[in-house]
Amino acid sequence: MKKTAAVILLAVIAPVLFASSLAVGCFIEDGLDIFDIPSLLETYFAYDMRDDGASVAFHSARNAAEQYNALGKALDRALSSEEADEIEKARLALESFDAGEDDSGRPCSFTYMQFTDEIRSAFESGDSLFLDDWMLANGLDILLWFSSTTRDRLVRYRIRVYDKALNIVYDRLSDLAEIDFQSAEIVLSLLDFFYPADAGILVFDAVIPGFSSIEPEGEMAVLRAGLYSYEDLNTGRTELIEVRPRQVTHLMYTDPPSPTFSLLVTGDSNSIRLNIDGTDKGSLPLNLDGVSLPLRLNASAEGMMSFSAQLTGDTKELQINLIPAGLGDIGDYDRARKDFYRSFARTLALFGLEVAFSSFRETRPVMSAASYAGAGALAISVVDLLSDLFDYYRQSTYATGQR
């Protein structure tokens, strides 16, 4: 087979109309229906591309025999017609026939068959004589058997190939709860029977990029070993990937680069240290360049409660004010609230008494002293009320997590 083309992706190879096909008999057991094996076979094994001497010689000989047989039938038809010109033309074509070398891809034809007890027994025992005779009688060149057997909580997948000898090319044991019958591994297990020895598989794990030398179709491509260039659609750069013979290579597509920005972080103290995504950035204030989202930050200082947050939106500046350790818990907030309401109730009561005492100050001198005493108590209570109000406000701010 010619090796001038680097690519052997079968979906883009033009059919060869006169080439003899490779007849493939397939046995697929019921438990494997969910994997759509026929589609997989007909996509990636539409042609027999083997280029070793034995394969080329076999198909060349068979192709020559088929063409020679067709020319012989044409001569028979011409003789039956008794047309001298047609007879002479057909005779010359037969006498001058030269098949030449068949170096093209040979189409594969797949026949999906049901097991008989005899075939199953012959397969399991590796009875070459029986299988060779049976394949000859049915016009088949190769047999594929896809099987699954279940025991307890385990399932065993197997692929057997008969091509002059019995080969177990795929043998996988997995839990019933898992679907572990990988398309790339299936194709890899069958490469030897359809592709040249230097073929490998390239699997596209995400978006298919732009290749300069191949035209991918589906989730993978079968290629000759070598380096392939492609354009990374996210970065716009030209990248290279190496496909190795008889191996599965995964193309891990580059994620789009995250947008970056600058962030100025300030605080109410220069002793505050900032940690971003687990890395210590130093003391505030800090001007951070090349920051990307999401951003996890933690601020801490001796004697202060630490502060943690995750930024999910683009921002230019961030102010961090830390709370003294011991403040801001719900117990302190409860105490401050109760103290404020007690001071408020006490002040309200003293205010009422002061109003009552003041109304008797002119008519009852004895009330005058009580009125002055009440005014003093009211003044003290108002000062306490303002202090408790400030403490209540401060604790409520801390308790709600405001900075």
Side-chain angles (χ1 to χ4, degrees):
M1 179 179 293
K2 294 178 181 178
K3 294 187 177 181
T4 55
V7 180
I8 54 173
L9 181 66
L10 296 183
V12 297
I13 298 177
V16 181
L17 298 179
F18 56 81
S20 60
S21 64
L22 182 74
V24 184
C26 302
F27 300 96
I28 303 173
E29 297 190 351
D30 293 341
L32 295 169
D33 293 345
I34 61 173
F35 299 111
D36 195 9
I37 292 172
S39 177
L40 193 70
L41 293 175
E42 291 160 22
T43 298
Y44 296 103
F45 300 101
Y47 295 86
D48 174 16
M49 302 296 293
R50 288 174 293 181
D51 59 358
D52 60 282
S55 296
V56 171
F58 171 77
H59 284 285
S60 294
R62 193 170 71 170
N63 189 40
E66 289 179 357
Q67 292 183 60
Y68 190 82
N69 186 47
L71 292 174
K73 291 180 178 179
L75 179 58
D76 287 343
R77 289 193 297 271
L79 290 171
S80 298
S81 69
E82 298 183 355
E83 295 286 339
D85 290 345
E86 293 296 326
I87 293 172
E88 182 63 14
K89 184 177 178 180
R91 184 183 64 79
L92 288 175
L94 184 63
E95 290 178 352
S96 61
F97 170 70
D98 180 10
E101 182 181 355
D102 178 15
D103 60 357
S104 58
R106 294 161 289 278
C108 293
S109 60
F110 294 91
T111 303
Y112 301 97
M113 317 176 81
Q114 294 294 325
F115 262 124
T116 64
D117 291 340
E118 285 184 316
I119 295 299
R120 183 183 292 274
S121 176
F123 238 127
E124 291 175 343
S125 64
D127 188 344
S128 297
L129 291 176
F130 180 90
L131 290 174
D132 288 341
D133 290 343
W134 187 85
M135 289 168 61
L136 182 63
N138 287 274
L140 299 174
D141 299 307
I142 189 171
L143 294 176
L144 308 180
W145 177 15
F146 298 82
S147 67
S148 66
T149 54
T150 303
R151 184 172 181 179
D152 298 328
R153 292 293 303 169
L154 297 175
V155 58
R156 186 173 197 172
Y157 300 115
R158 271 186 170 179
I159 301 176
R160 297 175 178 88
V161 179
Y162 184 79
D163 180 23
K164 302 181 181 64
L166 183 63
N167 306 273
I168 299 177
V169 297
Y170 184 91
D171 195 346
R172 173 64 63 86
L173 192 66
S174 65
D175 190 274
L176 271 176
E178 300 175 0
I179 296 178
D180 195 10
F181 197 66
Q182 303 300 322
S183 297
E185 293 181 2
I186 295 170
V187 173
L188 181 67
S189 72
L190 295 173
L191 282 187
D192 286 340
F193 304 95
F194 296 90
Y195 286 92
D198 63 346
I201 297 174
L202 181 60
V203 176
F204 308 110
D205 291 322
V207 178
I208 300 175
F211 277 89
S212 59
S213 57
I214 64 175
E215 298 179 19
E217 290 190 8
E219 64 181 14
M220 70 185 100
V222 181
L223 307 169
R224 286 194 180 277
L227 288 174
Y228 294 87
S229 63
Y230 65 94
E231 180 185 359
D232 190 314
L233 301 181
N234 283 326
T235 65
R237 295 194 301 266
T238 298
E239 306 285 355
L240 291 175
I241 189 166
E242 181 181 9
V243 176
R244 296 180 180 274
R246 290 300 184 267
Q247 291 186 24
V248 176
T249 303
H250 289 264
L251 178 59
M252 306 299 291
Y253 203 51
T254 307
D255 291 330
S258 300
T260 60
F261 57 96
S262 296
L263 175 65
L264 175 63
V265 185
T266 58
D268 56 358
S269 170
N270 290 342
S271 64
I272 299 176
R273 297 191 67 84
L274 187 67
N275 183 292
I276 293 183
D277 293 332
T279 302
D280 182 42
K281 297 296 183 180
S283 300
L284 300 185
L286 289 169
N287 189 17
L288 305 171
D289 294 320
V291 175
S292 61
L293 298 175
L295 183 69
R296 182 72 183 177
L297 55 86
N298 179 272
S300 61
E302 187 175 353
M304 310 295 283
M305 295 180 62
S306 62
F307 167 70
S308 297
Q310 180 165 306
L311 298 184
T312 56
D314 191 351
T315 183
K316 302 299 182 185
E317 294 185 14
L318 180 64
Q319 171 78 18
I320 298 177
N321 299 323
L322 298 185
I323 302 169
L327 293 180
D329 62 44
I330 198 65
D332 291 338
Y333 167 74
D334 244 7
R335 176 192 54 76
R337 179 175 60 83
K338 291 176 181 177
D339 286 348
F340 166 71
Y341 284 123
R342 278 196 293 265
S343 295
F344 181 76
R346 182 178 64 247
T347 302
L348 191 61
L350 289 173
F351 179 75
L353 288 174
E354 172 58 18
V355 171
F357 288 151
S358 297
S359 64
F360 293 108
R361 186 178 299 169
E362 297 299 328
T363 58
R364 297 183 181 181
V366 72
M367 291 292 185
S368 180
S371 176
Y372 288 124
L378 178 60
I380 295 172
S381 183
V382 168
V383 172
D384 286 343
L385 175 63
L386 293 175
S387 175
D388 289 341
L389 176 60
F390 175 75
D391 191 37
Y392 178 35
Y393 169 76
R394 185 181 60 163
Q395 291 294 343
S396 65
T397 301
Y398 292 156
T400 54
Q402 300 178 18
R403 297 289 188 267

